[in-house]
Amino acid sequence: MRVLYVAAEAVPFAKTGGLADVAGSLPKELLKQGVDIRVVMPKFGKIAAEYIDQMEHLYDGTLPVAWRDKFVGLDRLVKDGVTYYFIDNEEYFYREGFYGYDDDAERFSFFARAVLNLLDAMDFWPDVIHANDWHAGLVPVLLKLEHMGDERYERIRTIYTIHNLKYQGVFPKNVMQDVLGLDWKYFTNGDLEFYDAVNFMKGGLTYADYISTVSRTYAQEIQYEYFGEMLDGLLRKRSNDIYGIINGIDYEVYNPATDKDIYETFDVTSLDRKLDNKVALQRQLGLPENRHIPLIALVSRLVPPKGLDLIVRVMDEILQHEDIQFVVLGTGDKVYEDWFKGLAWRFPRKVSANIRFSNELAQRIYAGATVFLMPSNYEPCGIGQLIAMRYGTIPVVRETGGLKDTVTQFSNKTGEGTGYLFHNYNAHEMMYAVKRAIRECSNLVEIWPKIVKNAMQADFSWKKSAGEYKALYEKLLAK
């Protein structure tokens, strides 16, 4: 089985979010399971020189962008056994950032068209093309509209994965002819039209054979108006073709027994060393050193969907009445950055606000904290709670999306469960869940070891999820 995985970013070459982690991890596991999978992405100018130097140049040519021709190049690099192809055009991809430019419609329609037009240059004709998020939304569209009649293309099946429905790639309608070079009928019939604009993600959802998203609950939620981002009607129409497969994490990268970024390595048989990590973290952050005090962590983008307004509403109250410490790591909206700085000023011996991002400090927080707070308003999958559990840090999460699918409510009667959940998007429900976690995780003799071991032994490696993707590919090809 041959699969071409299309993504705008992949670790270690380019990363802005969770898509890059998936594109850098899932193909490795699928390769282990016997799938001939290869990845194609833009050749961004910010890719590290060590990787640029290793690339093999395969092709130079031109590609039509509506009424004009543009240079296109193709490079190849093998990393961890996986073949990566890089679509090259310095005008489009050699920039300071990856997205957010006025010509993004042109840049990523060029990318989608190049993926399909360069299959010969890749010398790789896939059975399945697996396209991801709005950046690759036009791949299923252009496959059907520009390549039918060629039996090599007609055999290809497509899967389109939504990583976050909120970001859809919506552009002015004049891109239909000025950029895409497509007939207006594909706008007027509703395939690409979205409130008098062009929507790349809608195109992918309309033309792909199957649709997937990154958790079972999110696959259901996006068919409701509240979560559907004005595409819920289309998603309900295609409900029989939608599949939810939870993301995993790379257990070779996120492993407390071997992680070189944390203070002390540990596993389920050496939980005292997890407490050593807490003390070392407290020392680094200038908090009072105390092995027994619950340390609550927030490692997040500081933006509204992450549930920060709930934290703003009640964290002062929690800190006033509970003997805890609270550490924050992340950047985002200035209003939240300033609020967390103010919280640290009000509670200097209880709060450490780190308004930046550091992979090393993030790992140390995951290893040293007691509780991981993730009260998202919506969460397609979430990776923070998976890493936290891997490191024995107990998640407090809202029952939504992938959080609901990955964290199970702990019962001190049965000793089962991996965290604490609250249902409604309500600050006081979150506070009660946090207080329960504080109370039970303070019992370092009886309750805490049980729940930590449960969390650390839960399996969210890519092995199971990759098996589900492989089965989905097989089902699609048998269709």
Side-chain angles (χ1 to χ4, degrees):
M1 184 194 309
R2 299 181 301 275
V3 176
L4 185 63
Y5 195 89
V6 186
E9 55 187 83
V11 169
F13 309 110
K15 178 178 177 178
T16 64
L19 170 60
D21 292 306
V22 176
S25 301
L26 174 58
K28 286 196 297 185
E29 183 57 40
L30 282 165
L31 190 68
K32 293 177 184 176
Q33 297 190 20
V35 178
D36 183 0
I37 186 166
R38 307 185 187 187
V39 180
V40 59
M41 63 177 288
K43 185 181 179 183
F44 290 114
K46 291 178 70 69
I47 294 174
E50 64 176 298
Y51 299 122
I52 296 284
D53 293 343
Q54 294 175 40
M55 292 180 187
E56 173 191 3
H57 187 64
L58 298 179
Y59 176 82
D60 282 338
T62 59
L63 190 73
V65 178
W67 46 269
R68 55 212 178 274
D69 289 334
K70 294 286 188 176
F71 167 82
V72 65
L74 183 69
D75 293 348
R76 177 173 61 195
L77 182 152
V78 178
K79 180 82 169 73
D80 298 326
V82 178
T83 297
Y84 291 83
Y85 297 104
F86 298 87
I87 304 295
D88 189 20
N89 179 293
E90 292 189 9
E91 177 187 351
Y92 291 143
F93 302 130
Y94 281 45
R95 304 186 183 187
E96 280 302 306
F98 301 129
Y99 322 118
Y101 295 95
D102 291 341
D103 62 345
D104 275 357
E106 185 171 333
R107 297 170 70 224
F108 289 98
S109 62
F110 172 89
F111 171 61
R113 186 170 273 121
V115 167
L116 296 168
N117 287 29
L118 297 185
L119 293 179
D120 252 338
M122 296 178 196
D123 193 24
F124 183 70
W125 285 90
D127 302 304
V128 175
I129 292 180
H130 187 160
N132 293 268
D133 265 357
W134 73 261
H135 329 95
L138 290 184
V139 172
V141 178
L142 298 176
L143 175 67
K144 297 268 177 76
L145 299 186
E146 294 189 344
H147 294 282
M148 289 301 97
D150 185 329
E151 64 178 31
R152 298 174 303 172
Y153 287 93
E154 287 181 343
R155 288 195 295 264
I156 297 173
R157 299 292 177 262
T158 54
I159 291 179
Y160 182 69
T161 295
I162 306 164
H163 293 262
N164 191 331
L165 190 64
K166 189 173 184 65
Y167 305 104
Q168 299 177 10
V170 179
F171 304 101
K173 63 182 178 182
N174 63 359
V175 306
M176 279 298 295
Q177 290 188 313
D178 291 347
V179 172
L180 308 186
L182 295 176
D183 195 292
W184 274 107
K185 68 182 180 182
Y186 301 111
F187 183 86
T188 57
N189 70 3
D191 287 358
L192 295 170
E193 189 273 338
F194 182 78
Y195 296 91
D196 207 37
V198 170
N199 187 320
F200 281 25
M201 178 174 280
K202 184 181 181 184
L205 297 175
T206 300
Y207 281 84
D209 296 306
Y210 279 168
I211 298 164
S212 76
T213 189
V214 291
S215 69
R216 294 180 299 278
T217 296
Y218 193 61
Q220 296 300 315
E221 287 177 340
I222 58 177
Q223 297 179 53
Y224 300 121
E225 184 177 355
Y226 182 80
F227 295 99
E229 300 292 344
M230 296 186 287
L231 286 174
D232 50 290
L234 172 59
L235 291 162
R236 286 193 298 273
K237 183 178 177 181
R238 298 218 56 193
S239 61
N240 290 336
D241 297 322
I242 299 176
Y243 299 84
I245 299 176
I246 199 77
N247 281 342
I249 56 174
D250 190 330
Y251 270 32
E252 294 178 7
V253 174
Y254 299 108
N255 185 353
T258 60
D259 192 335
K260 294 179 181 178
D261 284 334
I262 65 177
Y263 308 99
E264 296 280 346
T265 56
F266 64 96
D267 58 24
V268 292
T269 67
S270 54
L271 294 184
D272 277 352
R273 293 213 294 269
K274 177 169 174 61
L275 298 177
D276 293 338
N277 276 279
K278 180 199 291 186
V279 173
L281 178 64
Q282 291 166 332
R283 185 180 307 125
Q284 177 178 339
L285 299 179
L287 295 172
E289 296 175 27
N290 185 333
R291 294 173 70 85
H292 300 284
I293 193 171
L295 175 58
I296 300 175
L298 176 72
V299 179
S300 176
R301 288 182 295 116
L302 304 181
V303 292
K306 296 301 180 181
L308 301 186
D309 51 330
L310 304 188
I311 297 174
V312 169
R313 176 70 179 82
V314 297
M315 188 52 72
D316 277 85
E317 183 178 346
I318 293 172
L319 288 163
Q320 286 169 12
H321 295 98
E322 300 289 342
D323 187 18
I324 62 166
Q325 294 173 344
F326 181 49
V327 57
V328 179
L329 175 64
T331 60
D333 293 358
K334 188 174 187 300
V335 63
Y336 293 121
E337 292 183 352
D338 289 346
W339 188 85
F340 283 114
K341 290 176 184 176
L343 189 70
W345 180 81
R346 293 193 297 277
F347 299 94
R349 292 181 60 79
K350 286 190 167 186
V351 177
S352 173
N354 304 273
I355 308 305
R356 59 190 176 94
F357 201 80
S358 159
N359 282 324
E360 180 185 67
L361 181 56
Q363 295 305 101
R364 291 178 172 182
I365 291 171
Y366 285 123
T370 313
V371 171
F372 185 78
L373 185 57
M374 198 168 179
S376 303
N377 188 11
Y378 70 91
E379 193 68 59
C381 178
I383 189 174
Q385 83 280 14
L386 303 182
I387 302 171
M389 287 189 286
R390 176 74 164 150
Y391 285 74
T393 296
I394 306 308
V396 173
V397 303
R398 194 171 89 80
E399 288 184 34
T400 186
L403 302 177
K404 181 179 179 181
D405 290 346
T406 55
V407 181
T408 56
Q409 191 75 261
F410 179 71
S411 167
N412 56 20
K413 293 181 179 179
T414 66
E416 298 176 344
T418 58
Y420 300 89
L421 297 95
F422 62 100
H423 181 70
N424 293 304
Y425 190 68
N426 177 280
H428 284 87
E429 279 197 33
M430 183 200 77
M431 182 174 70
Y432 299 143
V434 169
K435 287 189 172 185
R436 184 186 166 202
I438 291 169
R439 182 176 67 253
E440 296 187 351
C441 289
S442 297
N443 187 333
L444 295 179
V445 177
E446 297 179 8
I447 298 177
W448 183 76
K450 288 181 184 178
I451 191 170
V452 168
K453 288 178 181 178
N454 292 350
M456 293 182 70
Q457 291 172 341
D459 185 2
F460 292 105
S461 66
W462 272 111
K463 185 175 182 179
K464 180 181 178 184
S465 297
E468 292 184 38
Y469 274 113
K470 182 180 178 182
L472 189 57
Y473 299 151
E474 292 169 343
K475 180 177 180 179
L476 178 56
L477 292 174
K479 192 175 179 181

